[in-house]
Amino acid sequence: MADTQQVDPKAERKAARLARRIGSFSRAHGGAEGQVAYLGQRGARIVLVGEDGTWGDVVAPTYAIAEQAVAKSGITVHESFDGEFAAKVRTGPYEWSRMAGIQLGGPANG
């Protein structure tokens, strides 16, 4: 018997849309690398880091769709967000004020 796999057209379209967004990010930032993180019922987060240090993310409804999207986009995927990969991220004033601003005397979030 032939091995047949069920292909969900809706999942394929979602993966293709995410792959286009990842590709657009990659082109805008001189290339990109990523890491897929499981979010539970919410799906999976694809963290992207451009060659210029800019970072961003997209969320997929399932881990499988996230894996399909990064495969279609052709970016390098890391198992974890640490080491040399994490060191590529460049943060600016916005990130400092939002993530650490309260502790460091930045604007209040209230």
Side-chain angles (χ1 to χ4, degrees):
M1 281 192 191
D3 183 26
T4 60
Q5 292 182 337
Q6 295 288 332
V7 177
D8 180 1
K10 186 176 178 182
E12 285 286 325
R13 287 191 303 272
K14 183 65 174 174
R17 279 194 302 273
L18 288 168
R20 284 193 299 274
R21 290 179 63 192
I22 293 166
S24 177
F25 179 90
S26 182
R27 285 187 299 279
H29 298 287
E33 299 176 43
Q35 188 259 337
V36 180
Y38 180 66
L39 295 175
Q41 288 183 329
R42 291 184 180 253
R45 178 181 186 205
I46 305 166
V47 179
L48 303 168
V49 179
E51 288 300 315
D52 62 0
T54 302
W55 66 277
D57 66 351
V58 293
V59 176
T62 68
Y63 195 86
I65 290 174
E67 286 183 318
Q68 277 185 292
V70 294
K72 287 177 185 273
S73 71
I75 65 169
T76 300
V77 181
H78 297 269
E79 289 293 318
S80 62
F81 195 83
D82 61 2
E84 289 182 31
F85 179 49
K88 291 182 177 187
V89 175
R90 299 290 171 246
T91 56
Y94 173 78
E95 288 85 4
W96 280 102
S97 69
R98 296 298 296 162
M99 291 189 277
I102 295 170
Q103 293 84 0
L104 300 175
N109 289 334

